[in-house]
Amino acid sequence: TIAKNIVKYRDENGKLKKEAYVNSATNFFSGEAKEYYETGVLKSKLNYVDGYLNGKQYYYDTTGKEIKTEEYDYGNLIVK
């Protein structure tokens, strides 16, 4: 099996902006990734395969309420 590492991206003030699983062999996003507003509230929950958006993607407003979903097939938007 290929190892996946969680990588955390922070802004210049150290606040978490994004955390994602990265395939250690390819360095591509692989699996779930989460993006955050500056306030720390979840902004989006994304799914990747081999670096491409794949499957359902969830987007949230600044209060954490789900506002949109999209579905991708290896990087191609198929359902808005």
Side-chain angles (χ1 to χ4, degrees):
T1 53
I2 305 268
K4 290 183 195 176
N5 300 313
I6 294 179
V7 177
K8 296 185 179 195
Y9 301 89
R10 299 185 181 277
D11 68 13
E12 60 277 354
N13 297 316
K15 289 187 179 183
L16 186 62
K17 290 176 66 174
K18 185 174 188 170
E19 57 186 346
Y21 284 98
V22 175
N23 180 315
S24 60
T26 64
N27 264 349
F28 291 144
F29 291 138
S30 184
E32 185 175 80
K34 294 179 181 176
E35 296 179 323
Y36 298 91
Y37 289 104
E38 286 183 13
T39 59
V41 173
L42 184 64
K43 182 177 184 179
S44 61
K45 192 165 36 171
L46 310 169
N47 293 289
Y48 288 91
V49 172
D50 299 328
Y52 294 101
L53 287 172
N54 194 63
K56 283 200 173 190
Q57 318 302 316
Y58 301 91
Y59 301 91
Y60 305 89
D61 69 12
T62 55
T63 67
K65 179 183 173 199
E66 186 179 300
I67 55 171
K68 179 171 80 167
T69 60
E70 294 178 336
E71 192 163 346
Y72 283 80
D73 182 32
Y74 285 88
N76 296 304
L77 180 62
I78 56 174
V79 177
K80 220 174 184 185

